[in-house]
Amino acid sequence: MLVAQALNLLYNIVDRIYIGKIPEDGTIALAGVGLCFPVITLVTAFANLFGLGGAPLCSIARGQQDEAGARKIMTNAYFMLLLTGIVLTALGIALHKPILYLLGASDATYPYAASYLTIYLLGTIFVMTSLGLNPYINSQGFARIGMLTVLLGAMANIVLDPVFIFVLDMGVRGAAVATILSQLLSAAWVLRFLTGRKTELRMNFRAFRPDFGCIRKITLLGTASFVMSFTDSLVQGVCNAMLRQFGGDLYISVMTVINSVRQIAQTPVMAISDGASPVISFNYGARAYKRVRQAIRFMTQLGFGYTLLIWGLISAFPTFFIRIFNHETELIHAAVPALHLYFFGFVMMAFQFAGQCVFKSLGRARMAIFFSIFRKVIIVVPLTLLLPHICGLGVNGVFLAEPISNCVGGLLCYVTMRLTVLLQLKQKDERETSS
């Protein structure tokens, strides 16, 4: 899972690495692509809604030896992925201009943003298929195949990006074309496996009819992952709009770089929680409560150690991480202090990921949704809108909102999980042992 997440990281940031190196236009082009993040994240949110929403249910069904129920969950999830992909493509292309200006585009950045986004949206169904169905491969225990899904797309993107951007001189349009072609390859790989002989749950649409009861269950559990991604999209949009007001296009480029560094930093801890999720779900379905508790403890300790280490590295070598994406002196000068502010207290993210993972894996959808909304919507968005106006903080206020939310939201999520889920698991384990 860690290798798969690292490859997925390359998939997501390689465009920015190459775009930031475009001669003369690198910084402004980086800002344009950064403006597309909220929309791209929204597409990911819908993929997670039916992908990560159904995968734990699929694991629980398999733990209960209900293969037919697990197969039905996967098939209905893909039906919704396809339907949602079509709707998002049509709406996104039709409304992309007002959306981009709402998200902070200027007349200088809009051409770059529009060029990237309109092409990217044409591949929405490929994105929905590869991202939405890959969790069903992992939920069956085929983590290596799931890793290869991402590897295929990531390697294709790394190879195609410089060809389309520099050799064919297509700029940001080339980056978008390379991305959707790479997603097409990943989608084809996923479908080939899930309809082939090696899979334990073969997807088959023969005589298929949507089961709206099943879709409702998937959607309810997936709402937690959807809200997490959707609120990320909301925060990105609000941040870009405020940075445009207080700092201009340069600081949108800075935020693009910082978001990219954040993806690098949080990838391993996300892999830890994603890897723990099917283990927690399967053993909970099999009533192996002691193993569930062991998985939660191991996941939390490993995540804490990692986030503490990466926080130290980013604090000590900020310029190194910034130069991955851009070498221009003006951007580096603005990005270094912003990076220090944004990552302060990053270690608290380990507790946020652990708590959210447990709630999702055990089907506690309401708790997972609440803490997603609490950290992003109730804390980050209001602070992002308020802090820039206080004591002349300006752009620094935008970057301070994230660490405050990490400390408050992360700690509250984890403490609540310990006082509810872990306590109940311990009681169930004692009853199973005594009986």
Side-chain angles (χ1 to χ4, degrees):
M1 291 300 294
L2 175 59
V3 174
Q5 287 285 2
L7 292 170
N8 193 46
L9 171 67
L10 286 176
Y11 211 142
N12 290 329
I13 70 171
V14 70
D15 286 352
R16 284 161 258 171
I17 293 174
Y18 285 121
I19 288 170
K21 305 298 193 316
I22 295 176
E24 299 181 2
D25 294 336
T27 299
I28 193 70
L30 202 57
V33 173
L35 291 167
C36 301
F37 284 177
V39 180
I40 294 171
T41 304
L42 185 62
V43 173
T44 303
F46 279 99
N48 290 339
L49 177 62
F50 303 111
L52 297 180
L57 295 175
C58 195
S59 291
I60 291 173
R62 291 185 66 245
Q64 296 170 338
Q65 306 301 314
D66 183 9
E67 297 293 314
R71 185 176 293 105
K72 182 174 71 172
I73 290 168
M74 181 174 64
T75 307
N76 278 275
Y78 187 44
F79 168 75
M80 292 305 298
L81 286 166
L82 290 176
L83 181 62
T84 306
I86 293 170
V87 173
L88 289 176
T89 300
L91 290 178
I93 292 176
L95 302 175
H96 76 277
K97 185 171 184 178
I99 289 173
L100 288 173
Y101 274 101
L102 180 65
L103 295 174
S106 66
D107 291 341
T109 56
Y110 170 75
Y112 297 96
S115 296
Y116 187 90
L117 186 61
T118 51
I119 295 174
Y120 180 90
L121 287 171
L122 292 174
T124 299
I125 289 180
F126 307 146
V127 176
M128 299 291 283
T129 299
S130 60
L131 291 182
L133 287 184
N134 210 38
Y136 293 92
I137 295 178
N138 293 325
S139 71
Q140 297 178 52
F142 295 103
R144 179 174 171 270
I145 300 298
M147 177 194 72
L148 291 175
T149 301
V150 186
L151 174 63
L152 179 63
M155 293 299 102
N157 205 25
I158 290 171
V159 172
L160 293 176
D161 256 335
V163 174
F164 283 98
I165 294 173
F166 300 111
V167 177
L168 299 180
D169 196 25
M170 294 178 65
V172 294
R173 291 183 295 111
V177 171
T179 298
I180 64 170
L181 289 177
S182 302
Q183 291 283 10
L184 171 60
L185 290 175
S186 293
W189 170 269
V190 169
L191 289 174
R192 182 175 180 273
F193 180 80
L194 289 178
T195 57
R197 296 181 178 179
K198 294 183 179 180
T199 183
E200 294 182 8
L201 293 175
R202 187 178 302 176
M203 190 160 55
N204 187 347
F205 278 95
R206 189 175 301 168
F208 169 76
R209 290 184 179 181
D211 185 329
F212 294 103
C214 179
I215 292 171
R216 182 180 176 276
K217 292 179 181 179
I218 294 170
T219 305
L220 181 62
L221 185 56
T223 300
S225 297
F226 174 82
V227 170
M228 289 180 68
S229 296
F230 176 79
T231 51
D232 279 341
S233 175
L234 177 63
V235 168
Q236 290 167 1
V238 172
C239 285
N240 284 341
M242 295 302 290
L243 289 171
R244 175 80 181 89
Q245 179 181 344
F246 285 90
D249 293 335
L250 173 64
Y251 277 91
I252 294 179
S253 298
V254 169
M255 181 56 84
T256 303
V257 170
I258 289 178
N259 273 326
S260 302
V261 175
R262 176 176 59 83
Q263 286 183 294
I264 294 173
Q266 74 182 21
T267 289
V269 73
M270 287 177 63
I272 292 168
S273 60
D274 285 350
S277 182
V279 176
I280 293 171
S281 297
F282 184 92
N283 283 285
Y284 184 77
R287 297 186 178 183
Y289 302 120
K290 183 176 181 180
R291 295 196 68 185
V292 175
R293 291 163 56 208
Q294 290 173 339
I296 294 170
R297 187 181 305 114
F298 178 75
M299 169 185 65
T300 305
Q301 292 173 348
L302 194 59
F304 180 85
Y306 165 75
T307 51
L308 185 62
L309 174 63
I310 195 66
W311 180 23
L313 290 174
I314 291 173
S315 299
F317 309 104
T319 304
F320 168 79
F321 288 94
I322 296 166
R323 286 183 177 274
I324 295 174
F325 303 94
N326 193 277
H327 291 88
E328 294 189 16
T329 303
E330 185 181 13
L331 185 140
I332 293 173
H333 179 74
V336 169
L339 196 67
H340 284 303
L341 287 173
Y342 190 88
F343 276 91
F344 184 78
F346 183 71
V347 68
M348 302 303 293
M349 283 299 293
F351 297 112
Q352 178 77 24
F353 278 115
Q356 290 282 61
C357 174
V358 173
F359 289 134
K360 288 188 297 180
S361 300
L362 300 185
R364 308 290 182 89
R366 291 182 180 178
M367 296 297 290
I369 293 168
F370 170 77
F371 284 109
S372 296
I373 294 174
F374 179 78
R375 193 175 81 84
K376 295 288 187 178
V377 178
I378 298 178
I379 301 179
V380 177
V381 171
L383 287 179
T384 301
L385 295 171
L386 180 63
L387 288 178
H389 299 279
I390 297 177
C391 300
L393 284 174
V395 294
N396 289 335
V398 177
F399 298 120
L400 276 171
E402 184 71 14
I404 293 173
S405 76
N406 289 344
C407 294
V408 177
L411 190 60
L412 186 60
C413 179
Y414 183 73
V415 170
T416 303
M417 184 272 292
R418 285 193 63 88
L419 294 177
T420 55
V421 174
L422 279 183
L423 184 61
Q424 292 171 6
L425 287 172
K426 184 177 180 180
Q427 293 171 347
K428 288 182 178 182
D429 186 33
E430 290 173 352
R431 287 197 295 269
E432 290 286 327
T433 302
S434 62
S435 60

